[in-house]
Amino acid sequence: MKKLLSITLLGAALVAGTAQARDYDTVRFGVDVPYEPMEYRTPEGELTGFDIELGNALCAEIGIECEWVVQGWDGIIPGLMARKYDAIMSSMTINEERREQVLFSDPYFTPPSAWFVPANSNIDMPAKETLEGKNIGVQRGTLQDNYVSDMYGEIADVNRYATADDMVLDMEAGRLDAVFLDFPVGKSTLLDSEDGNYKVVGSMITEPKSYFGDGFGIAFRKRDEDLASKFNEALATLKENGTYDEIFNKYFSNKK
């Protein structure tokens, strides 16, 4: 009986080991769209953006195919756990709270966050005195949401949106006094928009780390250590051979 139990346990361990070392021909990435310039659709409907191009380059370096599964941000980690996709590459900030749920790759991008207001706004510096009673926009469930809710939730009206585009629409309609976004996203959607007339107020924000984490990482299920390792190796190679810089400069105008 003990021998039979030992064989059974050994078999279970081998199965678990096989699952851990699974070879992927295709990796499916969960991605929240739109979040320009990180991930968005072209007028023809094709997915593009910094995350998409870098993800495709990483897969090419590893020698596998990429597939992109569009998933709203609110359900993006549950979707990973439910195996709707194999990993998340969607501008997800690495922080301790998320580390409890997922395994992160090495950071591949570290963006600052920034405050954006209409060009004619009288808000010249974000602070409790200047934001009291104001309508502030954030994307629901993001680190910016956490930061604004904790810092200004008691003195301002925090409006949460499913997408950055929805937030921008309310900004353009005058229903928001300020928004707090990743700077690259705010630059693309507000500062660089044809009809936009906006400005950044205050300094770029990357601290405290308890909110803003250690940059963006690819999120995997915790058991997929081998897969995460392959992407870390591929990322290091792309940074060494210049491919990373080429993709970065395409979206961020050579400014690091």
Side-chain angles (χ1 to χ4, degrees), residues 3 13 18 24-25 34 37 60 74 91-92 138 162 168-169 173 192 201 241 244 255-256:
K3 183 177 180 181
T18 302
Y24 286 82
D25 296 321
D74 289 354
S91 307
M92 180 172 281
V138 293
V168 170
L169 288 175
D192 295 344
V201 292
N241 67 20
Y244 179 92
K255 294 180 182 179
K256 292 190 179 181

Side-chain angles (χ1 to χ4, degrees), residues 19-96:
Q20 170 69 22
R22 172 187 165 189
D23 288 328
Y24 286 82
D25 296 321
T26 300
V27 168
R28 298 165 298 154
F29 285 117
V31 62
D32 177 29
V33 178
Y35 203 57
E36 192 172 351
M38 306 305 290
E39 45 260 342
Y40 60 99
R41 291 192 185 276
T42 67
E44 295 74 32
E46 295 295 320
L47 280 175
T48 189
F50 179 73
D51 281 344
I52 306 298
E53 288 206 30
L54 181 59
N56 288 334
L58 289 169
C59 286
E61 177 63 31
I62 295 169
I64 57 179
E65 296 293 326
C66 275
E67 288 183 4
W68 298 90
V69 180
V70 176
Q71 168 67 55
W73 187 257
D74 289 354
I76 204 161
I77 290 180
L80 176 67
M81 300 310 175
R83 296 188 167 277
K84 291 178 65 175
Y85 28 82
D86 307 302
I88 299 167
M89 190 166 183
S90 190
S91 307
M92 180 172 281
T93 298
I94 302 167
N95 61 30
E96 291 307 314

